Amino acid sequence: MIVNEIFYSIQGEGKLAGVPSVFIRLSGCPLRCKWCDTKYAWSPTSGDEMTVEQIEAEVVKHPASHVVITGGEPFASGQLKELTIALANTNFHITIETNGLKFIDGLKCNLMSISPKLANSIPDEPDLSEKHKKHIGDLTAMQQLMDNYKYQLKFVVDTAADLDEIAQCIGKLENVNPYKICLMPQATTRSEYITKSQFLAEICKRTGFALSPRLQVLLWEGQKGK
Ligand code: SF4
């Protein structure tokens, strides 16, 4: 499989925020979110070919019990299941970060971290925009992921207008546990992050959803490999 990067950092988002973790960033993603902070991993060839054994050998060099498989979009990689099985055999806690557009059965995964994409992610280019809308409008795979794995839903919020869309998305899904939903600010700089987190905190107080940090923005403003 093509690996964009492997690095040791702390989980920046969601219920495991702050936990030291090794990140395996797999290459390739079918979406082109306009605020994507890992555009360098979009191409399926944006990295080095590595075997599952080579990836595992790299991961165990770091003093972490948690591994985060991210991207790009990990479900776009052919050997995702084999990778999770190998990591689970070494007793890693495995989080998979995904946009929720594809389902694979039988993954070893302790936390399926799903980030449903809203209209605020739609790219400006007309041809990309149409494709993007078609992808994000189908919640079939997301429902399967939620039904088969321990999950969290992380929504990236840009403005208060996104709240209606989040409500619609949740309304289309079945058996959603509201305690597994968190909202994160769409931000690339520290100052934008703080301003939007403050506004989002008020929304979370009203809706009961959790406010997720994005520590990678707060601490490093999204630098690659952090
Ligand atoms: S799904 Fe994730 S990796 Fe793909 S374009 Fe959107 S934010 Fe970037």
Side-chain angles (χ1 to χ4, degrees), residues 28-39 41-42 71-73 98-99 101 115 117 121 132:
C29 181
L31 296 187
R32 294 292 180 266
C33 301
K34 71 173 166 194
W35 40 252
C36 177
D37 54 5
T38 55
K39 291 176 177 163
W42 278 354
E73 169 50 56
T98 178
N99 55 29
L101 301 180
S115 185
K117 299 299 178 260
S121 69
H132 193 92

mmCIF file of all heavy atoms in Angstrom, residues 28-39 41-42 71-73 98-99 101 115 117 121 132, ligand 1:
data_model
loop_
_atom_site.group_PDB
_atom_site.id
_atom_site.type_symbol
_atom_site.label_atom_id
_atom_site.label_comp_id
_atom_site.label_asym_id
_atom_site.label_seq_id
_atom_site.Cartn_x
_atom_site.Cartn_y
_atom_site.Cartn_z
ATOM 1 N N GLY A 28 -4.225 8.864 -1.124
ATOM 2 C CA GLY A 28 -5.397 8.763 -1.976
ATOM 3 C C GLY A 28 -6.681 9.165 -1.286
ATOM 4 O O GLY A 28 -6.925 8.779 -0.143
ATOM 5 N N CYS A 29 -7.494 9.959 -1.974
ATOM 6 C CA CYS A 29 -8.830 10.311 -1.486
ATOM 7 C C CYS A 29 -9.700 10.688 -2.690
ATOM 8 O O CYS A 29 -9.242 11.420 -3.568
ATOM 9 C CB CYS A 29 -8.775 11.482 -0.506
ATOM 10 S SG CYS A 29 -10.426 11.911 0.123
ATOM 11 N N PRO A 30 -10.948 10.192 -2.731
ATOM 12 C CA PRO A 30 -11.822 10.521 -3.867
ATOM 13 C C PRO A 30 -12.429 11.920 -3.753
ATOM 14 O O PRO A 30 -12.957 12.432 -4.739
ATOM 15 C CB PRO A 30 -12.920 9.453 -3.782
ATOM 16 C CG PRO A 30 -12.964 9.058 -2.352
ATOM 17 C CD PRO A 30 -11.575 9.239 -1.808
ATOM 18 N N LEU A 31 -12.375 12.531 -2.578
ATOM 19 C CA LEU A 31 -12.964 13.865 -2.403
ATOM 20 C C LEU A 31 -11.910 14.960 -2.595
ATOM 21 O O LEU A 31 -10.709 14.693 -2.624
ATOM 22 C CB LEU A 31 -13.606 14.001 -1.016
ATOM 23 C CG LEU A 31 -14.808 13.091 -0.727
ATOM 24 C CD1 LEU A 31 -15.430 13.454 0.614
ATOM 25 C CD2 LEU A 31 -15.847 13.193 -1.832
ATOM 26 N N ARG A 32 -12.378 16.183 -2.699
ATOM 27 C CA ARG A 32 -11.490 17.350 -2.840
ATOM 28 C C ARG A 32 -12.042 18.489 -1.985
ATOM 29 O O ARG A 32 -12.352 19.573 -2.492
ATOM 30 C CB ARG A 32 -11.409 17.786 -4.326
ATOM 31 C CG ARG A 32 -10.735 16.772 -5.242
ATOM 32 C CD ARG A 32 -9.243 16.642 -4.926
ATOM 33 N NE ARG A 32 -8.540 15.685 -5.763
ATOM 34 C CZ ARG A 32 -8.338 14.409 -5.434
ATOM 35 N NH1 ARG A 32 -8.821 13.924 -4.299
ATOM 36 N NH2 ARG A 32 -7.648 13.615 -6.233
ATOM 37 N N CYS A 33 -12.195 18.224 -0.677
ATOM 38 C CA CYS A 33 -12.779 19.227 0.227
ATOM 39 C C CYS A 33 -11.994 20.530 0.121
ATOM 40 O O CYS A 33 -10.754 20.514 0.119
ATOM 41 C CB CYS A 33 -12.743 18.738 1.664
ATOM 42 S SG CYS A 33 -13.643 17.189 1.901
ATOM 43 N N LYS A 34 -12.708 21.648 0.050
ATOM 44 C CA LYS A 34 -11.983 22.881 -0.253
ATOM 45 C C LYS A 34 -11.087 23.347 0.885
ATOM 46 O O LYS A 34 -10.106 24.028 0.646
ATOM 47 C CB LYS A 34 -12.937 23.977 -0.718
ATOM 48 C CG LYS A 34 -13.839 24.585 0.288
ATOM 49 C CD LYS A 34 -14.553 25.754 -0.401
ATOM 50 C CE LYS A 34 -15.724 26.210 0.413
ATOM 51 N NZ LYS A 34 -16.622 27.077 -0.348
ATOM 52 N N TRP A 35 -11.408 22.919 2.122
ATOM 53 C CA TRP A 35 -10.547 23.322 3.244
ATOM 54 C C TRP A 35 -9.629 22.183 3.694
ATOM 55 O O TRP A 35 -9.046 22.249 4.782
ATOM 56 C CB TRP A 35 -11.385 23.825 4.419
ATOM 57 C CG TRP A 35 -12.646 23.040 4.672
ATOM 58 C CD1 TRP A 35 -13.915 23.456 4.434
ATOM 59 C CD2 TRP A 35 -12.762 21.709 5.208
ATOM 60 N NE1 TRP A 35 -14.822 22.462 4.787
ATOM 61 C CE2 TRP A 35 -14.138 21.387 5.267
ATOM 62 C CE3 TRP A 35 -11.839 20.747 5.639
ATOM 63 C CZ2 TRP A 35 -14.614 20.165 5.734
ATOM 64 C CZ3 TRP A 35 -12.303 19.532 6.106
ATOM 65 C CH2 TRP A 35 -13.677 19.249 6.145
ATOM 66 N N CYS A 36 -9.497 21.145 2.871
ATOM 67 C CA CYS A 36 -8.690 19.976 3.260
ATOM 68 C C CYS A 36 -7.282 20.399 3.681
ATOM 69 O O CYS A 36 -6.610 21.154 2.975
ATOM 70 C CB CYS A 36 -8.594 19.014 2.084
ATOM 71 S SG CYS A 36 -7.563 17.574 2.429
ATOM 72 N N ASP A 37 -6.829 19.887 4.823
ATOM 73 C CA ASP A 37 -5.490 20.246 5.295
ATOM 74 C C ASP A 37 -4.451 19.180 4.952
ATOM 75 O O ASP A 37 -3.302 19.269 5.401
ATOM 76 C CB ASP A 37 -5.509 20.542 6.808
ATOM 77 C CG ASP A 37 -6.117 19.406 7.615
ATOM 78 O OD1 ASP A 37 -6.426 18.357 7.027
ATOM 79 O OD2 ASP A 37 -6.269 19.574 8.840
ATOM 80 N N THR A 38 -4.852 18.187 4.156
ATOM 81 C CA THR A 38 -3.869 17.168 3.736
ATOM 82 C C THR A 38 -3.949 16.941 2.219
ATOM 83 O O THR A 38 -3.966 15.801 1.757
ATOM 84 C CB THR A 38 -4.104 15.832 4.488
ATOM 85 O OG1 THR A 38 -5.462 15.416 4.277
ATOM 86 C CG2 THR A 38 -3.821 15.957 5.963
ATOM 87 N N LYS A 39 -3.973 18.051 1.505
ATOM 88 C CA LYS A 39 -4.051 17.946 0.039
ATOM 89 C C LYS A 39 -2.869 17.168 -0.528
ATOM 90 O O LYS A 39 -2.971 16.548 -1.582
ATOM 91 C CB LYS A 39 -4.114 19.346 -0.579
ATOM 92 C CG LYS A 39 -5.431 20.042 -0.262
ATOM 93 C CD LYS A 39 -5.482 21.461 -0.790
ATOM 94 C CE LYS A 39 -6.853 22.057 -0.484
ATOM 95 N NZ LYS A 39 -6.931 23.490 -0.573
ATOM 96 N N ALA A 41 -1.870 14.491 0.315
ATOM 97 C CA ALA A 41 -2.136 13.043 0.331
ATOM 98 C C ALA A 41 -3.276 12.667 -0.608
ATOM 99 O O ALA A 41 -3.737 11.530 -0.603
ATOM 100 C CB ALA A 41 -2.464 12.587 1.757
ATOM 101 N N TRP A 42 -3.754 13.598 -1.423
ATOM 102 C CA TRP A 42 -4.876 13.301 -2.329
ATOM 103 C C TRP A 42 -4.522 12.248 -3.375
ATOM 104 O O TRP A 42 -5.309 11.364 -3.669
ATOM 105 C CB TRP A 42 -5.319 14.581 -3.056
ATOM 106 C CG TRP A 42 -6.222 15.447 -2.253
ATOM 107 C CD1 TRP A 42 -6.759 15.174 -1.029
ATOM 108 C CD2 TRP A 42 -6.703 16.742 -2.638
ATOM 109 N NE1 TRP A 42 -7.554 16.221 -0.615
ATOM 110 C CE2 TRP A 42 -7.538 17.189 -1.581
ATOM 111 C CE3 TRP A 42 -6.513 17.559 -3.737
ATOM 112 C CZ2 TRP A 42 -8.181 18.425 -1.621
ATOM 113 C CZ3 TRP A 42 -7.161 18.788 -3.778
ATOM 114 C CH2 TRP A 42 -7.984 19.216 -2.731
ATOM 115 N N GLY A 71 -5.613 9.692 6.391
ATOM 116 C CA GLY A 71 -5.292 9.894 4.983
ATOM 117 C C GLY A 71 -5.163 11.377 4.675
ATOM 118 O O GLY A 71 -4.900 12.160 5.578
ATOM 119 N N GLY A 72 -5.493 11.727 3.456
ATOM 120 C CA GLY A 72 -6.217 10.934 2.474
ATOM 121 C C GLY A 72 -7.445 10.243 3.090
ATOM 122 O O GLY A 72 -7.962 10.644 4.103
ATOM 123 N N GLU A 73 -7.847 9.209 2.405
ATOM 124 C CA GLU A 73 -8.976 8.409 2.871
ATOM 125 C C GLU A 73 -8.526 6.961 2.978
ATOM 126 O O GLU A 73 -8.307 6.306 1.953
ATOM 127 C CB GLU A 73 -10.150 8.562 1.899
ATOM 128 C CG GLU A 73 -11.285 7.590 2.130
ATOM 129 C CD GLU A 73 -11.734 7.556 3.584
ATOM 130 O OE1 GLU A 73 -12.089 8.598 4.145
ATOM 131 O OE2 GLU A 73 -11.725 6.438 4.171
ATOM 132 N N THR A 98 -12.042 8.536 8.838
ATOM 133 C CA THR A 98 -12.634 8.343 7.514
ATOM 134 C C THR A 98 -13.718 9.369 7.217
ATOM 135 O O THR A 98 -14.342 9.904 8.140
ATOM 136 C CB THR A 98 -13.230 6.920 7.392
ATOM 137 O OG1 THR A 98 -13.852 6.774 6.103
ATOM 138 C CG2 THR A 98 -14.265 6.646 8.467
ATOM 139 N N ASN A 99 -13.954 9.581 5.916
ATOM 140 C CA ASN A 99 -15.066 10.457 5.535
ATOM 141 C C ASN A 99 -16.399 9.695 5.514
ATOM 142 O O ASN A 99 -17.452 10.290 5.282
ATOM 143 C CB ASN A 99 -14.807 11.115 4.171
ATOM 144 C CG ASN A 99 -14.515 10.105 3.055
ATOM 145 O OD1 ASN A 99 -14.991 8.980 3.087
ATOM 146 N ND2 ASN A 99 -13.729 10.522 2.070
ATOM 147 N N LEU A 101 -17.567 7.276 3.513
ATOM 148 C CA LEU A 101 -18.226 7.026 2.232
ATOM 149 C C LEU A 101 -18.056 5.596 1.742
ATOM 150 O O LEU A 101 -18.563 5.228 0.692
ATOM 151 C CB LEU A 101 -17.703 7.996 1.164
ATOM 152 C CG LEU A 101 -17.909 9.479 1.486
ATOM 153 C CD1 LEU A 101 -17.366 10.344 0.367
ATOM 154 C CD2 LEU A 101 -19.383 9.768 1.721
ATOM 155 N N SER A 115 -15.963 11.539 9.774
ATOM 156 C CA SER A 115 -16.151 12.975 9.598
ATOM 157 C C SER A 115 -17.061 13.213 8.387
ATOM 158 O O SER A 115 -16.585 13.314 7.253
ATOM 159 C CB SER A 115 -14.781 13.635 9.401
ATOM 160 O OG SER A 115 -14.929 15.027 9.343
ATOM 161 N N LYS A 117 -19.054 14.925 5.592
ATOM 162 C CA LYS A 117 -18.740 16.185 4.915
ATOM 163 C C LYS A 117 -20.014 16.970 4.609
ATOM 164 O O LYS A 117 -20.990 16.414 4.104
ATOM 165 C CB LYS A 117 -17.959 15.913 3.616
ATOM 166 C CG LYS A 117 -16.622 15.215 3.873
ATOM 167 C CD LYS A 117 -15.700 16.056 4.729
ATOM 168 C CE LYS A 117 -14.381 15.385 5.044
ATOM 169 N NZ LYS A 117 -14.283 14.767 6.356
ATOM 170 N N SER A 121 -17.694 21.940 2.588
ATOM 171 C CA SER A 121 -16.491 21.285 2.050
ATOM 172 C C SER A 121 -16.484 21.243 0.518
ATOM 173 O O SER A 121 -15.493 20.846 -0.091
ATOM 174 C CB SER A 121 -16.399 19.852 2.580
ATOM 175 O OG SER A 121 -17.423 19.036 2.018
ATOM 176 N N HIS A 132 -18.347 15.789 -5.951
ATOM 177 C CA HIS A 132 -18.281 15.859 -4.491
ATOM 178 C C HIS A 132 -19.689 15.736 -3.880
ATOM 179 O O HIS A 132 -19.917 14.961 -2.955
ATOM 180 C CB HIS A 132 -17.660 17.215 -4.122
ATOM 181 C CG HIS A 132 -17.227 17.344 -2.700
ATOM 182 N ND1 HIS A 132 -15.958 17.058 -2.264
ATOM 183 C CD2 HIS A 132 -17.903 17.758 -1.608
ATOM 184 C CE1 HIS A 132 -15.857 17.293 -0.975
ATOM 185 N NE2 HIS A 132 -17.034 17.720 -0.547
HETATM 186 S S1 SF4 B 1 -12.163 13.580 2.819
HETATM 187 FE FE1 SF4 B 1 -10.497 14.236 4.162
HETATM 188 S S2 SF4 B 1 -8.596 13.853 2.983
HETATM 189 FE FE2 SF4 B 1 -10.317 13.783 1.542
HETATM 190 S S3 SF4 B 1 -10.406 15.854 0.697
HETATM 191 FE FE3 SF4 B 1 -11.861 15.758 2.411
HETATM 192 S S4 SF4 B 1 -10.693 16.466 4.207
HETATM 193 FE FE4 SF4 B 1 -9.200 15.965 2.578
#
